[in-house]
Amino acid sequence: MSQQQEQPSRPQEPVTYGDVFEVTGELADKPIAPEDANMMQAAETRVFGHTQKSGAAAVMQFAATANKRGGFVHPGDTTDLAAERGVTVAQTEVPGARVTTEFVGGQVVGQYVEPRPVATAEATEAEAIGLKLQSAITIGEALEATVQTAGNKPVNQSDAAAIQAAEVRASGTNVIAPGGIAASAQSAAIHNANVDRDEDKIKLIDVLAGATGKLSADKAATRQDAEGVVSAELRNNPNLSTHPGGVAASVTAAARLNEKAEI
C-alpha cells in the first residue's frame, strides 16, 4: 500500500447548519464557521454560566473544527447571517417554567425548558391551608409560548397540522372553527408553499399571537394532548421530525410541567 493510499481523505463537503439543525432558507446551506461557534459559546456562558453539554455551542464547535480541517473555513471566519442577525440566547418566562432558546441568524437552533416552582403569595397561602393551587398550563398558553420560541418560523404544513390537532384537543370537537387558528394556519401554509422568500411568508407569530382568546374552548395540556400534537407534526413533516421550540415542543413542555406539578 502506498503512502498516498494511507493518508486519510479530506471531507468532500462542509458541515452546514442544515446538516445539524432544523433551519431553513439561506442559513441551512451555510458552513458553520469558527466565530459562529465562539459567539454561541459566549452567549451560553453569559446565560448559564457555562456551555451546555451537547448544546448548540458544542455542536457548532465540533462542526467548525471539522470544517477547518477540511479547508472549508479558516480561523476567524464568521457566517454573514450570524454576523448580520446575531447569535443569541433568549429566556422567556411561562407559567411554571423558564424557556431558554438559542438563535443563529434569527432561527432557532436549540431550546431548554427549566421547570420553576410557583412562588407567589397565593401559592404559599394555599399550601398553608392545605389547598392545591390550580395553575395548569393550558393548550392555548402553550401555543402562545410558541410565539416566543419560534414566532419567526414560516408556517408550513406540519405546523398547520399540529395547530389543528391542538385546537381539536382544546375544544373537544373535531369541527374546525372558521376563522380560528387552525383555519388560519392552513391558509398560511398554502400561501407560504407558493412564496419563495421567507421574509414574504406568514409566520407562526401571525397565527398564534393571542391564541388563548381565539380558541372556542381551552383545557390543561396533558400527555395525551402532547402525543396527538407531536404525531400530527411528525406525520406532515417530510423529515419526520418536530421543530425545536415549535408547536409540538411547546405543548409537550406544557404537558410535562403539568404532570410534574400533578395538576
Side-chain angles (χ1 to χ4, degrees):
M1 182 179 291
S2 68
Q3 289 184 345
Q4 184 175 3
Q5 290 176 315
E6 292 174 354
Q7 293 176 352
S9 60
R10 296 174 65 179
Q12 298 300 308
E13 295 182 350
V15 181
T16 67
Y17 278 97
D19 291 330
V20 293
F21 299 119
E22 197 166 330
V23 295
T24 60
E26 187 180 352
L27 181 64
D29 298 325
K30 296 288 186 181
I32 297 177
E35 281 306 304
D36 300 2
N38 290 340
M39 286 190 286
M40 182 58 80
Q41 285 182 333
E44 284 191 2
T45 300
R46 281 194 299 271
V47 172
F48 299 110
H50 54 81
T51 56
Q52 293 291 98
K53 183 179 180 181
S54 302
V59 173
M60 290 170 66
Q61 189 61 56
F62 179 84
T65 299
N67 287 341
K68 281 192 294 184
R69 288 175 179 168
F72 302 111
V73 298
H74 302 90
D77 281 358
T78 307
T79 303
D80 53 358
L81 287 174
E84 293 167 8
R85 302 182 187 177
V87 175
T88 59
V89 177
Q91 291 188 319
T92 304
E93 299 291 341
V94 298
R98 173 184 291 158
V99 180
T100 303
T101 309
E102 299 179 305
F103 300 89
V104 174
Q107 297 197 49
V108 176
V109 295
Q111 185 182 63
Y112 313 92
V113 178
E114 175 191 357
R116 293 172 61 81
V118 177
T120 64
E122 291 82 3
T124 303
E125 182 179 353
E127 182 178 0
I129 61 177
L131 295 177
K132 189 174 185 180
L133 183 66
Q134 298 300 310
S135 57
I137 305 169
T138 67
I139 292 174
E141 288 171 334
L143 293 176
E144 289 182 356
T146 307
V147 172
Q148 302 296 325
T149 56
N152 291 323
K153 179 185 183 298
V155 180
N156 60 23
Q157 191 56 50
S158 65
D159 299 319
I163 291 169
Q164 179 175 326
E167 183 180 88
V168 164
R169 289 183 169 273
S171 65
T173 174
N174 289 324
V175 178
I176 304 303
I181 57 172
S184 297
Q186 187 60 49
S187 296
I190 293 171
H191 167 83
N192 289 348
N194 297 304
V195 175
D196 293 328
R197 302 196 316 165
D198 280 356
E199 50 265 42
D200 296 329
K201 295 182 179 181
I202 300 171
K203 310 297 195 300
L204 283 173
I205 188 173
D206 301 317
V207 175
L208 295 179
T212 300
K214 297 175 183 177
L215 292 171
S216 60
D218 203 359
K219 65 181 287 290
T222 67
R223 181 187 300 182
Q224 291 73 27
D225 297 328
E227 289 173 352
V229 175
V230 168
S231 177
E233 191 167 317
L234 286 173
R235 286 198 311 269
N236 289 274
N237 188 326
N239 297 321
L240 293 178
S241 62
T242 59
H243 184 76
V247 176
S250 294
V251 176
T252 298
R256 186 180 303 121
L257 289 167
N258 287 345
E259 194 170 70
K260 285 184 177 181
E262 297 182 350
I263 294 175

